[in-house]
Amino acid sequence: MRMLVVQGDITTRHADVIVNAAGSSLLGGGGVDGAVHRRGGPAVRAECRALRASAYPDGLPVGQAVATTGGELRARWVVHTVGPVYSPDDDRSGLLASCYRESLRVADGLGARSVAFPAISTGVRGWPLAEAAEIAVRALRATATEVADVCFVTFTPEAFAAFTTVVTGDENIAAGLAAHPEEHWRRLFAAVDELTPADRVVTWEAPENQFPYPVYSERFWQVVRLLAELDVIVPFDWGAWSRASPLHPDGRRLAAAPVADAARLATAYVRGERFCEGTLETGLANGALDAIFDRLRGWFAEGGAR
């Protein structure tokens, strides 16, 4: 799936599908919703009224999506989805991710190959831009789809910058990983293969009058050092990514994720050890480190390193 970020008016975008950040009523409103209904014209309004009279008498639930004609828009269809209101006390990231996944599902059912998204829930619904962008990109990249082109059409310079940072971040990290020679990567994988069951056992020592600390084997530390040398430890917005990504903490879906996420998860554990001793032990125990090694090995086998 190719991703592009532009700043502008989504109602003027050429695409098979334009996604509308709709209200539950499906009858139009402010912001993107109002603009889509005004530009789409009577045909969009008529199909929305028909949906309310049939399938959604109580309105479209948050996180779900439904399609109508594109009417007078430059898109063949409009996919309407209702984003959640942001709450600092209630994690609603799953609902926001569902807006993107469900929109793709509906677009696939229509046979669409290009979809334009707004920055859902970042307007009056108050979602912080950095986190909303992470959720959007992670949800789309983790969804199996026939859609080939996704464009985020952002209205403000701030939204454009936030979504561009996330979309290009994966590409920049992958380029940094690929810049290392093959022999460096082979050293890492050889070191991983040399780990014994004893190297995965962490002991804790507690000197007199001191807090206990973990003791890792020299072979294991060699793997950690090689990770750090290979640009796997990368800067990124840890808070937004960890809340948005289904990969944290154990990386169970890492095999299907961009290789950049293997770098992010590695950073979470390697850097995390500096601030909370025993973090690497957790990564050994829950399988996260093995998932990281497997994803990097798969990327390497596919020709990721130059």
Side-chain angles (χ1 to χ4, degrees):
M1 178 194 299
R2 293 177 293 273
M3 286 190 181
L4 174 69
V5 185
V6 300
Q7 185 180 346
D9 180 352
I10 195 170
T11 64
T12 66
R13 189 77 186 173
H14 279 287
D16 292 336
V17 164
I18 283 176
V19 175
N20 176 30
S24 182
S25 72
L26 293 176
L27 300 180
V32 171
D33 193 17
V36 167
H37 276 265
R38 286 192 298 273
R39 292 285 183 92
V44 174
R45 290 194 293 273
E47 289 197 16
C48 282
R49 290 194 185 101
L51 286 167
R52 282 300 309 273
S54 56
Y56 301 101
D58 299 321
L60 183 65
V62 173
Q64 293 190 21
V66 66
T68 66
T69 178
E72 298 171 20
L73 292 161
R74 293 181 175 181
R76 295 179 64 187
W77 301 284
V78 177
V79 170
H80 307 264
T81 188
V82 182
V85 174
Y86 176 74
S87 170
D89 304 314
D90 181 19
D91 182 8
R92 299 173 184 172
S93 58
L95 288 170
L96 183 54
S98 178
C99 290
Y100 289 95
R101 288 194 303 268
E102 287 298 299
S103 295
L104 275 190
R105 181 186 63 78
V106 173
D108 273 326
L110 296 168
R113 294 298 178 265
S114 60
V115 179
F117 283 94
I120 300 169
S121 285
T122 61
V124 295
R125 289 182 171 89
W127 215 285
L129 282 169
E131 186 172 334
E134 287 282 0
I135 291 169
V137 173
R138 302 299 151 218
L140 293 176
R141 285 190 166 144
T143 301
T145 180
E146 294 299 317
V147 171
D149 293 285
V150 163
C151 181
F152 294 106
V153 184
T154 57
F155 190 68
T156 67
E158 294 78 13
F160 174 78
F163 276 77
T164 298
T165 295
V166 178
V167 170
T168 61
D170 285 351
E171 298 166 359
N172 293 340
I173 290 171
L177 298 177
H180 290 275
E182 290 187 14
E183 59 265 26
H184 292 191
W185 289 101
R186 294 187 190 281
R187 285 178 59 206
L188 170 64
F189 302 134
V192 171
D193 291 340
E194 290 172 3
L195 292 176
T196 68
D199 292 319
R200 296 171 175 272
V201 175
V202 182
T203 59
W204 287 75
E205 294 187 1
E208 188 175 356
N209 299 323
Q210 294 185 33
F211 288 110
Y213 62 89
V215 178
Y216 300 100
S217 75
E218 180 53 36
R219 281 196 186 93
F220 179 73
W221 274 123
Q222 175 64 10
V223 169
V224 172
R225 286 193 290 267
L226 286 168
L227 277 174
E229 290 173 8
L230 288 168
D231 284 346
V232 175
I233 311 306
V234 297
F236 68 105
D237 187 333
W238 159 250
W241 180 82
S242 62
R243 289 188 294 272
S245 176
L247 305 172
H248 183 265
D250 56 12
R252 272 178 286 181
R253 300 182 188 177
L254 195 57
V259 70
D261 276 331
R264 294 184 180 99
L265 192 59
T267 301
Y269 281 98
V270 175
R271 284 281 174 86
E273 183 71 22
R274 295 176 57 187
F275 301 103
C276 181
E277 291 181 330
T279 298
L280 286 170
E281 180 185 25
T282 300
L284 282 169
N286 68 12
L289 293 177
D290 286 324
I292 292 165
F293 301 143
D294 289 345
R295 181 65 185 95
L296 291 173
R297 201 188 295 265
W299 165 82
F300 179 81
E302 293 166 0
R306 290 199 287 265

